Amino acid sequence: MKRYIKYIILLVIIIVIFILGFFIYKNLFADSVNSRYKDIESYKLTNDEKNSAKDKINELENIKSVKIYKDSKIIKIVVKLDEDIDFESIKTKANEVISSFSEENLSYYDLQFFIESANEESEIYPQIGYKFKTNEEFAW
């Protein structure tokens, strides 16, 4: 009889630990996944914004390709160069590109600016710039 009581108590303890673990896990991680996409439908990245940004970037020399897309709350801009160009000119152009996006989108999205060079031996590239939604310009 004592053996059955021990097993029942052990079973109840395991069930309680499982239930508590489930609720703790759910409460800790449920909001982090959902908050990344909260209200994202209200902030559309338009083709006009993308095209305006691409046009500004293409004003630079040796641009091979420009890709702009959003990934959760981040607008990612990927620029591939045919050959190395002055990094300061890219930094200046990246800060000009910010004006291509609406104030509403800039208040919601962070921006990332990736620069890659076709020159595999480049000492300057790759570079990554990041602009938090409350900042005025990119940090490199």
Side-chain angles (χ1 to χ4, degrees):
M1 188 68 169
K2 287 185 178 183
R3 176 181 273 173
Y4 291 119
I5 293 175
K6 287 181 182 178
Y7 288 134
I8 291 173
I9 292 173
L10 184 60
L11 182 63
V12 169
I13 290 173
I14 290 173
I15 291 172
V16 168
I17 289 173
F18 177 76
I19 291 171
L20 288 175
F22 173 76
F23 284 114
I24 290 170
Y25 176 82
K26 184 178 176 184
N27 288 330
L28 284 177
F29 297 107
D31 190 43
S32 65
V33 173
N34 294 336
S35 67
R36 283 191 354 193
Y37 297 101
K38 185 178 180 183
D39 299 328
I40 201 162
E41 312 83 36
S42 303
Y43 299 91
K44 301 288 184 190
L45 183 60
T46 67
N47 284 333
D48 288 340
E49 289 174 311
K50 289 181 189 179
N51 291 334
S52 174
K54 285 180 182 180
D55 290 343
K56 286 185 185 206
I57 295 167
N58 282 320
E59 291 172 1
L60 293 168
E61 296 178 10
N62 299 320
I63 301 296
K64 184 176 185 178
S65 67
V66 179
K67 183 178 178 183
I68 299 174
Y69 61 97
K70 66 180 183 175
D71 182 16
S72 66
K73 287 186 169 184
I74 302 172
I75 297 173
K76 295 188 177 188
I77 304 166
V78 180
V79 177
K80 294 188 180 180
L81 304 172
D82 281 327
E83 55 187 64
D84 292 358
I85 61 175
D86 180 47
F87 182 55
E88 289 301 317
S89 63
I90 289 193
K91 286 170 60 174
T92 302
K93 192 56 72 174
N95 287 324
E96 290 176 19
V97 166
I98 294 170
S99 65
S100 299
F101 301 102
S102 70
E103 289 297 322
E104 184 177 76
N105 280 344
L106 290 174
S107 69
Y108 184 77
Y109 291 105
D110 295 343
L111 298 175
Q112 282 185 339
F113 205 101
F114 296 92
I115 308 161
E116 302 171 356
S117 176
N119 179 3
E120 293 180 12
E121 296 175 11
S122 174
E123 294 182 9
I124 303 171
Y125 302 105
Q127 293 281 348
I128 300 174
Y130 192 83
K131 181 198 156 308
F132 186 67
K133 62 185 171 186
T134 58
N135 293 357
E136 297 292 320
E137 56 185 40
F138 284 94
W140 298 88

